[in-house]
Amino acid sequence: MTTAPLSARGVRKRYRDTQALDGLDLEVAAGTVHALLGPNGAGKSTAVNVFATLTRPDAGEVRVGGHDVVRHPARVRSTIGLVGQSAAVDEALHGRENLVMFGRLHGLSKADAVRRSAELLDAFGLVEAGDRKVSGYSGGMRRRLDIAAGLVVRPRILFLDEPTTGLDPRARHEVWEMVRKVVADGTTVLLTTQYLDEADQLADLVTVLGEGKVIAEGTPSALKSDLGGDRVIITAAEPDDLDKMAGALGATATVDLDRLEVTVEAGASGGGAAVVEVVRTLDSAGITVDDVLLRRPTLDEVFLHLTAPDPEHQPEGAAR
Amino acid sequence: MTALSSTLRQTWVITLRDLKHWQREPWGPVFGILFSIMMLLIFGYLFGGAIEMPGGGTYLPYLLPGVLALTMMFGVDGIMAVVTEDTKRGVTNRFRSLPMSSVAVPLGRAVADLGNSAVQLGVLMIGGLLIGWRIEGTFLEAAAAVGLLLWLRLAMLWLGIFLGLALRMEGALMMVQVLVWPLGFCSSLFVSPETMPGWLGTLAAWNPVSATATAARDLFGNPTGITSGVLADHAMLLALAWPAVLLAIFVPLSMRAFRRRG
Ligand SMILES: Nc1ncnc2c1ncn2[C@@H]1O[C@H](COP(=O)(O)OP(=O)(O)OP(=O)(O)O)[C@@H](O)[C@H]1O
Ligand SMILES: [Mg+2]
């Protein structure tokens, strides 16, 4: 039996008057991508820092790679890669020099560090930029280099703290591609994110964190269906069309008279298919529309939904 | 591989990193030297005529070793700035997450900086010779003076490393940059403690940098401005002992601060 790359029980951490972690339980299975999803201040970074031996927990037990983070931090450090919330690379050095430096600090020989750096630059599309100063890199390049630096010795588990926050959509996709490659190579990944779609894209399992506690856990699709999933919102051109539209679109359609909108639940096949279906149906019924909008649940809605004490406080749509 | 040899290797990797920084961005050290030369000119020519020298001698030969010691003192905020920057960028945390010795990062920095300090001392001494400063002692004595100055620098570096790691509040660096000045002036660097009011003179005589400056003046064969008191009797001993005491305090504290888990 192999031990789980990470298991945490009842982890607590308090900063003066903030309970950053309030009894966190987490189990990450080998070879998977596990996402910690939560809004600002949920305790994501605190959790990662506890796992990476940077922060000492007040209570609880954490084992990373089979080693206890409090009793054997040095052993834990040799099994992990940490990519913190801000890109921690040396701005004055070249990309390649950064990787060689971190490789050598990990204990690789000079030749091995050079070879591994070349591999990583190649894998992450940084070959051309490799011999330029990092201070001239774009945000996406810097983040990719940062992640590569966490991979110089093929860690058992890689921690990525909000790897795409602040990146433009293209750079986000580049980082996602990298993460997929890392996992394909057999590394387990624990990533934190504020974006539901990021967890959806990458994670096998999602743990939703709120005020230092786990408030939900499951596969991305299970979490989404729990929420009611995607919705298509159609704005009518004429008020008179609303009832006709609702009739054509079937049972799940709800009408909002003030805003001239009809909302349809997307169902299991997903938002994209639902939009096509809606447009096709309305077209064949001869109804013209002003606008068609696909709405995905946002993290805020997930939150409201999961933490709402009673149905009245549930977000629009989710309760209907 | 033994723990010691891997620590030394990690230290060397960090040393190379810092040397590369100076090669790529030499403005810090260059500005440091220019600043010291400015101090030398301001004090040497502007205030020099007005400054009284107990025990005889002229001001320039008195001043120059003082400016050398002041330059060593600037090691505190210089290295603190570097450490603070690394922490701000998350680089310190990355180092802390690596399977590294806790002494390697600060030690590597200190070694690199000693190289930089030796260059600064060399440039200032040549500048001093050009404007009329003279070394009256033997070559060995002069070398010993340089050794004492670097010894002081080493202690200042570890103090700065500790402050950089331990003081995490905003503005700590600026506070230290400001505090260096009263500490520099309340010493024998610019004027003899014997010309100061009694209590201030005593304080200045016990300032660690005063011991180094006085011992260096003695070894260079320059006027010390000291006729009696603790500096007259024990400058050399104090110049060895003060940095040793500071190192004994701040090396372990820095290692602890590096590993401290908030
Ligand atoms: N060093 C610290 N000192 C005091 N309070 C802290 C410290 N670190 C975190 N906190 C507090 O603990 C809580 C959790 O912070 P944490 O950084 O873990 O959140 P996060 O989920 O990573 O948020 P973000 O998305 O903003 O990065 C916050 O309320 C934060 O203010
Ligand atoms: Mg965070």
Side-chain angles (χ1 to χ4, degrees):
Chain A
M1 194 195 85
T2 56
T3 51
L6 187 149
S7 79
R9 291 266 160 275
V11 184
R12 305 173 66 79
K13 177 73 193 177
R14 188 177 184 82
Y15 292 109
R16 283 194 203 92
D17 35 38
T18 319
Q19 190 70 44
L21 293 178
D22 192 8
L24 174 70
D25 295 321
L26 191 69
E27 187 95 21
V28 179
T32 63
V33 178
H34 196 121
L36 269 186
L37 178 68
N40 287 129
K44 304 181 297 292
S45 296
T46 306
V48 165
N49 289 342
V50 166
F51 302 155
T53 78
L54 302 185
T55 298
R56 179 188 288 275
D58 300 333
E61 188 181 311
V62 182
R63 297 189 148 265
V64 175
H67 308 293
D68 188 289
V69 293
V70 174
R71 263 169 291 160
H72 301 294
R75 289 186 206 164
V76 170
R77 285 180 203 121
S78 57
T79 70
I80 62 168
L82 171 66
V83 181
Q85 190 162 347
S86 59
V89 284
D90 189 322
E91 299 277 317
L93 298 188
H94 299 167
R96 188 187 306 276
E97 290 169 341
N98 264 288
L99 296 180
V100 172
M101 173 176 78
F102 288 119
R104 298 214 67 201
L105 292 177
H106 261 294
L108 296 185
S109 71
K110 178 114 196 238
D112 285 345
V114 168
R115 181 153 12 86
R116 181 67 180 145
S117 303
E119 270 173 34
L120 287 167
L121 290 174
D122 190 38
F124 297 138
L126 290 168
V127 174
E128 271 154 50
D131 297 303
R132 280 195 277 125
K133 270 209 277 190
V134 174
S135 52
Y137 281 22
S138 71
M141 287 160 75
R142 190 169 293 157
R143 200 55 171 162
R144 277 182 286 155
L145 179 69
D146 191 36
I147 297 176
L151 290 168
V152 278
V153 291
R154 300 178 196 282
R156 268 197 72 187
I157 181 163
L158 177 68
F159 299 114
L160 297 172
D161 195 359
E162 297 196 24
T164 67
T165 300
L167 298 187
D168 64 27
R170 206 186 109 180
R172 291 185 80 197
H173 279 94
E174 289 170 357
V175 169
W176 289 351
E177 266 323 297
M178 269 188 72
V179 174
R180 293 193 182 104
K181 269 188 199 153
V182 170
V183 185
D185 279 353
T187 300
T188 305
V189 173
L190 176 69
L191 69 86
T192 75
T193 180
Q194 302 191 29
Y195 308 114
L196 189 60
D197 66 325
E198 181 157 290
D200 195 12
Q201 285 283 330
L202 294 173
D204 299 299
L205 208 61
V206 180
T207 297
V208 184
L209 211 60
E211 297 180 351
K213 278 196 280 277
V214 174
I215 56 179
E217 190 165 73
T219 62
S221 57
L223 279 178
K224 280 194 304 177
S225 67
D226 204 31
L227 266 179
D230 298 348
R231 297 193 300 281
V232 183
I233 298 167
I234 309 106
T235 310
E238 303 287 336
D240 297 345
D241 289 343
L242 280 171
D243 284 338
K244 264 194 284 175
M245 277 165 55
L249 292 169
T252 68
T254 53
V255 178
D256 183 333
L257 279 170
D258 297 334
R259 300 164 77 174
L260 296 186
E261 280 174 1
V262 175
T263 302
V264 181
E265 303 286 333
S269 50
V275 172
V276 173
E277 179 66 29
V278 162
V279 172
R280 202 175 276 151
T281 309
L282 294 178
D283 190 43
S284 61
I287 305 168
T288 53
V289 301
D290 194 44
D291 197 11
V292 177
L293 187 77
L294 177 60
R295 286 257 291 127
R296 306 211 125 109
T298 64
L299 182 56
D300 288 342
E301 286 171 323
V302 175
F303 252 79
L304 279 170
H305 177 74
L306 291 169
T307 55
D310 57 76
E312 277 173 35
H313 288 122
Q314 295 222 342
E316 252 194 290
R320 289 182 208 165
Chain B
M1 190 174 305
T2 68
L4 178 65
S5 77
S6 67
T7 300
L8 290 178
R9 221 175 47 133
Q10 292 158 0
T11 303
W12 184 235
V13 172
I14 299 291
T15 303
L16 289 180
R17 170 199 181 211
D18 280 16
L19 291 177
K20 226 170 248 163
H21 276 203
W22 287 319
Q23 179 203 334
R24 300 263 159 82
E25 279 152 18
W27 301 116
V30 167
F31 180 78
I33 292 175
L34 289 178
F35 192 79
S36 296
I37 290 177
M38 189 183 82
M39 295 300 291
L40 190 62
L41 296 178
I42 290 178
F43 277 86
Y45 292 106
L46 220 56
F47 303 153
I51 289 174
E52 176 202 344
M53 294 289 304
T58 50
Y59 187 58
L60 182 71
Y62 175 85
L63 173 67
L64 195 110
V67 170
L68 297 181
L70 179 76
T71 307
M72 298 299 98
M73 244 185 112
F74 288 146
V76 176
D77 53 301
I79 205 153
M80 186 177 168
V82 177
V83 172
T84 306
E85 179 70 14
D86 265 358
T87 303
K88 212 168 67 194
R89 288 199 179 281
V91 176
T92 303
N93 266 353
R94 171 159 262 152
F95 286 143
R96 291 173 67 223
S97 80
L98 298 180
M100 296 178 65
S101 148
S102 46
V103 78
V105 174
L107 184 61
R109 285 233 166 82
V111 171
D113 187 279
L114 278 183
N116 162 42
S117 310
V119 172
Q120 287 198 18
L121 279 182
V123 172
L124 278 174
M125 286 169 68
I126 291 169
L129 291 171
L130 289 178
I131 60 171
W133 172 64
R134 289 293 169 262
I135 299 175
E136 316 282 352
T138 66
F139 175 78
L140 274 184
E141 283 169 333
V146 170
L148 284 180
L149 287 162
L150 290 175
W151 181 232
L152 174 70
R153 176 74 167 200
L154 190 64
M156 294 293 131
L157 291 174
W158 282 92
L159 172 61
I161 288 168
F162 170 71
L163 294 174
L165 288 172
L167 302 182
R168 298 192 186 170
M169 71 270 197
E170 205 64 40
L173 176 63
M174 196 134 65
M175 192 182 76
V176 171
Q177 282 168 336
V178 169
L179 276 180
V180 165
W181 290 100
L183 288 176
F185 281 117
C186 182
S187 73
S188 75
L189 296 191
F190 296 100
V191 292
S192 168
E194 293 179 11
T195 65
M196 299 176 187
W199 61 274
L200 192 61
T202 310
L203 216 63
W206 283 101
N207 187 331
V209 299
S210 300
T212 304
T214 304
R217 283 173 184 133
D218 214 16
L219 289 164
F220 283 133
N222 298 143
T224 61
I226 303 289
T227 55
S228 65
V230 62
L231 283 179
D233 302 332
H234 303 299
M236 191 75 73
L237 180 69
L238 286 174
L240 286 168
W242 265 126
V245 169
L246 292 173
L247 286 167
I249 296 171
F250 290 108
V251 170
L253 282 184
S254 298
M255 287 168 64
R256 268 220 0 222
F258 180 73
R259 276 291 171 231
R260 193 189 65 181
R261 306 203 261 165

